[in-house]
Amino acid sequence: MMSNLGPTELIIIAVVVLLLFGAKRLPDTARALGQSLRLFKKETSNMKDDVEAPTVVTTQAEPVAPQQVTAATPSVEDRLRLLEEENRRLKAASEPTVNGAPAAQSQNDQRSS
């Protein structure tokens, strides 16, 4: 039946595929198909590994000592306050200034005069 595809048949198939999908969508479609095939291959190999070697590993958990909070470790509130101060400082440094004051403040002063 279709055991022997010649160059003419392959060209016709390529033209039909181009007409159906469009030249812009073909690379994306091929990439998605390749990713799907890789994922399928990975999952089937994982499934084979699970079937071939069903081993149960038992381990005994070691007790973990709670972390000691020292005075050198800042609390969450202290870190948040420091981050907010740093944020304000960076915003102030990035604002344009007029005579050492922020430009928005000098404009407000001129309007009130």
Side-chain angles (χ1 to χ4, degrees):
M1 291 199 207
M2 266 184 52
S3 62
N4 205 4
L5 290 177
T8 307
E9 290 87 4
L10 291 175
I11 291 173
I12 291 172
I13 291 171
V15 168
V16 169
V17 168
L18 278 173
L19 290 175
L20 287 176
F21 293 106
K24 291 182 180 179
R25 289 181 29 195
L26 279 179
D28 295 333
T29 305
R31 188 177 305 115
L33 180 63
Q35 289 174 347
S36 299
L37 289 175
R38 279 192 295 273
L39 180 63
F40 181 74
K41 182 178 177 182
K42 179 182 173 186
E43 291 300 323
T44 54
S45 67
N46 286 344
M47 195 167 63
K48 286 179 185 176
D49 292 342
D50 290 343
V51 170
E52 289 174 0
T55 59
V56 177
V57 177
T58 58
T59 59
Q60 187 175 8
E62 296 179 18
V64 178
Q67 290 183 341
Q68 297 290 328
V69 178
T70 61
T73 306
S75 68
V76 174
E77 291 84 11
D78 290 339
R79 286 187 276 172
L80 182 60
R81 183 181 47 78
L82 290 171
L83 287 172
E84 288 173 347
E85 289 174 3
E86 181 73 11
N87 190 18
R88 274 187 246 120
R89 187 185 65 77
L90 289 172
K91 282 183 181 178
S94 66
E95 290 180 356
T97 59
V98 176
N99 294 332
Q105 184 180 0
S106 66
Q107 290 173 354
N108 291 340
D109 292 344
Q110 290 175 358
R111 290 182 191 149
S112 64
S113 308

